[in-house]
Amino acid sequence: MRTFTLFIISMLSLNAHAFTLNSKDIQEGHPMAKTFEYSSWGCDGGNQSPQLMWQDAPKGTKSFAITAFDPDAPTGSGFWHWIALDIPNTVTELPRGANVKSLGGMETRIDYGTVGFGGACPPKGDGMHRYQFTVWALPVASLGLNADTPSAVVGFTLNKMALGKARLTTTYTK
């Protein structure tokens, strides 16, 4: 019984400093403001990426990646709204409208066909969509990918290599 109790206490202390993602701009389970809506494809928002900050990355983290993904897009495979890679491990916050390149990272092509952040733009009348903002802790300084790497390949690479990830899911309806 003593060993079991110590195991439970050890597990609780491991979770005391979980890898977390927070934002001053978006909140878990709440709708995003029009500031974060795309500015094309029938949408006319501000197309700014939200401010994001994270803490307690896993030991051994050498870089971060940030993704924004809509699993509810009527594509059969979701929709990638943002892929930022190779963000140095010294960066733990992105301001609203972040210039990832100026922070030492890079961005790849998203499903709008452009490189960089592309805001929410669900089809009119399609109901509520979820937008999953995820920060990935990675064991390498660079993934060795480029701006034209397909989003599915980036997603596969991140899922295979991540030491940990923290997610914030917000919503948007048009």
Side-chain angles (χ1 to χ4, degrees), residues 70-101:
D70 173 3
D72 302 313
T75 63
S77 61
F79 198 91
W80 293 91
H81 287 265
W82 196 18
I83 302 172
L85 307 173
D86 303 341
I87 299 167
N89 66 354
T90 54
V91 175
T92 58
E93 182 173 354
L94 297 182
R96 180 186 295 182
N99 179 336
V100 173
K101 188 174 182 178

Side-chain angles (χ1 to χ4, degrees), residues 37-96:
E37 181 184 270
Y38 197 50
S39 58
S40 187
W41 287 34
C43 290
D44 61 358
N47 198 43
Q48 290 191 26
S49 61
Q51 180 272 348
L52 300 171
M53 57 194 153
W54 53 95
Q55 61 186 23
D56 297 320
K59 184 177 180 176
T61 299
K62 293 191 175 140
S63 72
F64 296 103
I66 305 285
T67 59
F69 181 73
D70 173 3
D72 302 313
T75 63
S77 61
F79 198 91
W80 293 91
H81 287 265
W82 196 18
I83 302 172
L85 307 173
D86 303 341
I87 299 167
N89 66 354
T90 54
V91 175
T92 58
E93 182 173 354
L94 297 182
R96 180 186 295 182

Side-chain angles (χ1 to χ4, degrees), residues 66-143:
I66 305 285
T67 59
F69 181 73
D70 173 3
D72 302 313
T75 63
S77 61
F79 198 91
W80 293 91
H81 287 265
W82 196 18
I83 302 172
L85 307 173
D86 303 341
I87 299 167
N89 66 354
T90 54
V91 175
T92 58
E93 182 173 354
L94 297 182
R96 180 186 295 182
N99 179 336
V100 173
K101 188 174 182 178
S102 73
L103 298 170
M106 65 166 288
E107 295 169 301
T108 69
R109 189 165 311 286
I110 57 172
D111 288 340
Y112 286 123
T114 59
V115 172
F117 179 78
C121 187
K124 189 172 181 142
D126 202 45
M128 183 188 75
H129 282 227
R130 294 168 291 157
Y131 294 85
Q132 300 169 334
F133 289 84
T134 307
V135 59
W136 307 76
L138 300 163
V140 295
S142 173
L143 291 172

Side-chain angles (χ1 to χ4, degrees), residues 141-155:
S142 173
L143 291 172
L145 303 176
N146 64 52
D148 290 321
T149 302
S151 52
V153 173
V154 174

